[in-house]
């Protein structure tokens, strides 16, 4: 945007009215949108939501591309949860389409199912393991006991042995995180289980569905309330001094909120490359993973599998990990957790602010976990609001 356009759009935007809101929510992703919805429709609060991006939805934002295919701007988002509460809550804002995610890993010239299951072993090694007991015994003979299991290397090597670890996990993880699996918490690769049956679904959650009209439409409905005003393209810093609110919900990076006082928390980023092919389908499943370290992309996703869209063309996203760019992933390892704890201590001393979401709590959370976290944070809020007004009364008293 040219400088004069920027000025014009700033002038066109009505000024904020100082006392028009009770709560300011920073971020219009799942954490911010759920908090805003609860505060407005359950709590009767007047809510201002700002997001510095030009749209709502956070990382789950989806949109039509130039060919009219629905794509996800920040990489593929597949909804899955075991929480009946989270599913019921979100179901108020969208209808769903059933979708079970499947992923193949490119190993040499073969494409085999990941998570590793009995079919993976049979295809890769030309075996005929017919029962769970046979698959378990085969893996058992290769697994290397590790005690205690601490790192992302330990988890996999102790389950399937070094060869399968190197085939499927070492290269992918080194690319994705810029770290060796031995330098990451066990929780990272533990997201991907090992199976002795032939279940080739990526997730086994009770609810596996995609929003029928897309994520962005679901966010529009979440935020559609007379007590909610949304301003996109607006950073927290631009409004911080302009509004007078009783409470702040912050869903951005926690270290940024505290001006990186203790140094930067590491986040991993990605570069997304989208392409549209003049053919109805490109891949047999939604996602192909590329565990080979020499291949630059980690995975390629074809959206039509997720969305069910019918179209003569098809769009795909290649994911290339990167140290620079938007903060997408907290990096789970002990020293980062220590640093986060120091920021968390600052957060705990701020009853006037709720820190919610993947960046504000530095947790490698999926959508459903963020929604669950936001619902829980809202439930705790009345107590917090009381504490914060008690604190400001006390502060006013000590000043006087
Ligand atoms: P975000 O979506 O990051 O929202 C935070 C918002 O705050 C952002 O829009 C940001 O612009 C805004 N913001 C930050 N600071 C400021 C500021 N100072 N002023 C104004 N605005 C600010 N989860 C799944 O369940 N399934 C998946 O398949 C899945 N795939 C994923 C794939 C990728 C590539 C990534 C990165 C994540 C994936 N996730 C998936 C995780 C999912 O994206 C998150 O759990 C969820 O979107 C987090 O929501 P959030 O509101 O915490 O954060
Ligand atoms: N992983 C891997 N090989 C794979 C799939 C996953 O090594 O084929 C590891 C990698 O470290 C990855 C982590 O497991 O970051 C979690 O995978 P997941 O698919 O859950 O990642 P996300 O969808 O969150 O990017």
């Amino acid at each position: 945007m040219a400088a004069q356009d920027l000025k014009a759009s700033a002038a066109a935007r009505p000024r904020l009215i100082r006392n028009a809101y009770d709560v300011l929510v920073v971020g219009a992703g799942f954490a911010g949108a759920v908090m805003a919805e609860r505060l407005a429709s359950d709590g009767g609060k007047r809510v201002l939501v700002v997001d510095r991006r030009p749209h709502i939805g956070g990382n789950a934002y989806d949109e039509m591309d130039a060919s009219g295919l629905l794509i996800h701007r920040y990489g593929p988002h597949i909804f899955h949860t075991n929480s009946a509460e989270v599913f019921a809550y979100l179901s108020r804002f969208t209808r769903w389409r059933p979708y079970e995610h499947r992923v193949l890993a490119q190993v040499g010239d073969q494409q085999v199912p990941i998570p590793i299951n009995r079919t993976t072993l049979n295809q890769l090694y030309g075996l005929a393991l017919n029962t769970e007991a046979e698959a378990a015994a085969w893996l058992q003979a290769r697994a290397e006991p590790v005690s205690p299991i601490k790192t992302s290397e330990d988890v996999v090597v102790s389950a399937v042995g070094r060869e399968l670890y190197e085939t499927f996990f070492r290269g992918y993880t080194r690319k994705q995180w810029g770290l060796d699996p031995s330098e990451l918490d066990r929780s990272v690769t533990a997201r991907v289980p090992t199976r002795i049956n032939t279940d080739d679904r990526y997730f086994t959650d009770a609810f596996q569905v995609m929003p029928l009209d897309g994520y962005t439409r679901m966010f529009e409905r979440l935020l559609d309330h007379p007590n909610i005003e949304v301003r996109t393209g607006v950073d927290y810093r631009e409004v911080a001094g302009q509004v007078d609110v009783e409470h702040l919900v912050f869903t951005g990076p926690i270290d940024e909120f505290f001006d990186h006082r203790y140094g930067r928390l590491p986040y991993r980023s990605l570069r997304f490359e989208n392409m549209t092919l003049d053919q109805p389908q490109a891949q047999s499943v939604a996602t192909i993973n590329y565990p080979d370290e020499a291949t630059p992309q980690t995975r390629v996703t074809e959206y039509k599998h997720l969305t069910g869209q019918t179209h003569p063309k098809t769009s795909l996203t290649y994911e290339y990990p990167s140290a620079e760019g938007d903060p997408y992933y907290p990096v789970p390892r002990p020293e980062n957790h220590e640093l986060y704890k120091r920021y968390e201590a600052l957060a705990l001393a701020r009853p006037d602010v709720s820190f919610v979401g993947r960046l504000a709590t530095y947790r490698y959370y999926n959508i459903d976990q963020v929604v669950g976290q936001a619902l829980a944070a809202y439930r705790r809020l009345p107590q917090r609001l009381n504490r914060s007004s008690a604190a400001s009364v006390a502060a006013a008293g000590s000043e006087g």
Side-chain angles (χ1 to χ4, degrees):
M1 211 190 271
Q4 64 266 41
D5 294 341
L6 260 178
K7 261 196 206 149
S9 71
R13 186 182 279 155
R15 276 190 64 77
L16 292 168
I17 303 163
R18 197 166 183 83
N19 293 315
Y21 317 98
D22 302 310
V23 181
L24 171 62
V25 174
V26 178
F30 271 102
V34 170
M35 287 299 283
E37 189 282 330
R38 291 287 71 209
L39 283 157
S41 56
D42 185 74
K45 300 285 182 193
R46 298 165 305 162
V47 185
L48 173 64
V49 180
V50 298
D51 200 301
R52 62 185 167 200
R53 285 171 169 164
H55 57 74
I56 58 172
N59 286 337
Y61 176 71
D62 56 14
E63 60 185 336
M64 291 295 179
D65 66 10
S67 299
L69 283 147
L70 186 64
I71 64 165
H72 300 183
R73 188 180 287 188
Y74 306 98
H77 280 71
I78 296 112
F79 183 74
H80 56 100
T81 189
N82 280 318
S83 166
E85 186 204 0
V86 167
F87 180 67
Y89 173 75
L90 289 178
S91 299
R92 292 167 43 197
F93 309 99
T94 186
R95 288 182 296 153
W96 303 100
R97 77 177 287 265
Y99 171 70
E100 291 185 326
H101 193 49
R102 287 184 168 77
V103 180
L104 295 174
Q106 185 77 46
V107 179
D109 55 9
Q110 287 195 77
Q111 292 187 342
V112 295
I114 177 92
I116 295 170
N117 69 33
R118 204 157 79 229
T119 310
T120 315
L121 303 177
N122 284 337
Q123 282 185 6
L124 208 54
Y125 293 102
L127 303 170
L129 303 169
N130 285 316
T131 63
E132 295 190 7
E134 284 171 24
W138 194 90
L139 288 171
Q140 190 68 51
R142 278 150 190 88
E144 292 175 22
V146 184
S147 177
I149 294 174
K150 277 194 176 158
T151 72
S152 269
E153 175 182 311
D154 300 342
V155 174
V156 184
V157 168
S158 65
V160 301
R162 199 153 287 278
E163 187 174 312
L164 285 165
Y165 159 73
E166 287 176 5
T167 303
F168 289 101
F169 287 89
R170 192 176 64 182
Y172 187 113
T173 301
R174 290 168 69 108
K175 287 192 291 187
Q176 171 73 8
W177 300 95
L179 293 168
D180 191 78
S182 61
E183 299 171 293
L184 281 164
D185 282 2
R186 53 180 288 172
S187 58
V188 176
T189 53
R191 288 167 62 91
V192 183
T194 306
R195 305 203 182 112
I196 49 176
N197 60 21
T198 55
D199 187 348
D200 64 347
R201 297 172 305 163
Y202 206 66
F203 309 110
T204 52
D205 301 53
F207 305 96
Q208 303 192 37
V209 285
M210 291 291 289
L212 190 63
D213 305 314
Y215 285 101
T216 302
R217 189 75 195 93
M218 174 163 72
F219 277 94
E220 284 167 4
R221 292 191 187 121
L222 266 161
L223 294 167
D224 180 18
H225 190 282
N227 280 357
I228 300 179
E229 182 180 335
V230 180
R231 295 212 179 184
T232 53
V234 175
D235 196 289
Y236 168 55
R237 279 167 295 213
E238 294 169 48
V239 292
Q242 283 191 45
V243 290
D244 194 5
V245 288
E246 62 184 277
H247 197 72
L248 173 68
V249 174
F250 188 80
T251 75
I254 188 169
D255 54 331
E256 188 185 312
F257 183 87
F258 291 109
D259 298 323
H260 306 109
R261 192 179 302 178
Y262 301 133
R264 284 178 184 270
L265 275 167
Y267 296 92
R268 189 67 171 164
S269 195
L270 294 170
R271 185 171 61 80
F272 302 106
E273 216 171 88
N274 300 331
M275 66 165 70
T276 302
L277 301 177
D278 206 355
Q279 62 195 64
Q281 193 179 322
Q283 301 184 165
S284 62
V285 292
T287 300
I288 310 286
N289 281 3
Y290 291 87
D292 177 16
E293 207 173 342
T295 308
Q297 72 272 17
T298 46
R299 59 187 176 192
V300 178
T301 299
E302 182 178 23
Y303 290 102
K304 284 168 90 179
H305 296 270
L306 277 49
T307 60
Q309 195 174 354
T310 310
H311 195 289
K313 296 184 183 182
T314 192
S315 290
L316 302 97
T317 292
Y318 284 61
E319 292 178 44
Y320 299 97
S322 153
E324 275 93 49
D326 281 0
Y328 291 134
Y329 292 84
V331 183
R333 56 192 311 223
E335 52 265 59
N336 299 350
H337 185 68
E338 288 303 309
L339 182 54
Y340 165 68
K341 282 289 185 196
R342 298 183 68 196
Y343 282 111
E344 190 191 33
L346 295 177
L348 289 169
R350 291 291 303 268
D352 56 325
V353 187
S354 296
F355 292 86
V356 190
R358 177 150 146 150
L359 303 171
T361 60
Y362 202 68
R363 288 191 172 87
Y364 187 178
Y365 270 178
N366 295 326
I367 291 169
D368 64 322
Q369 294 169 300
V370 169
V371 172
Q373 188 192 43
L375 293 174
Y378 173 72
R379 280 196 292 266
R380 286 195 308 269
L381 209 51
Q383 193 189 331
R384 296 184 64 115
L385 284 180
N386 289 342
R387 259 206 294 147
S388 97
S389 47
S392 52
V393 169
S398 67
E399 275 159 24

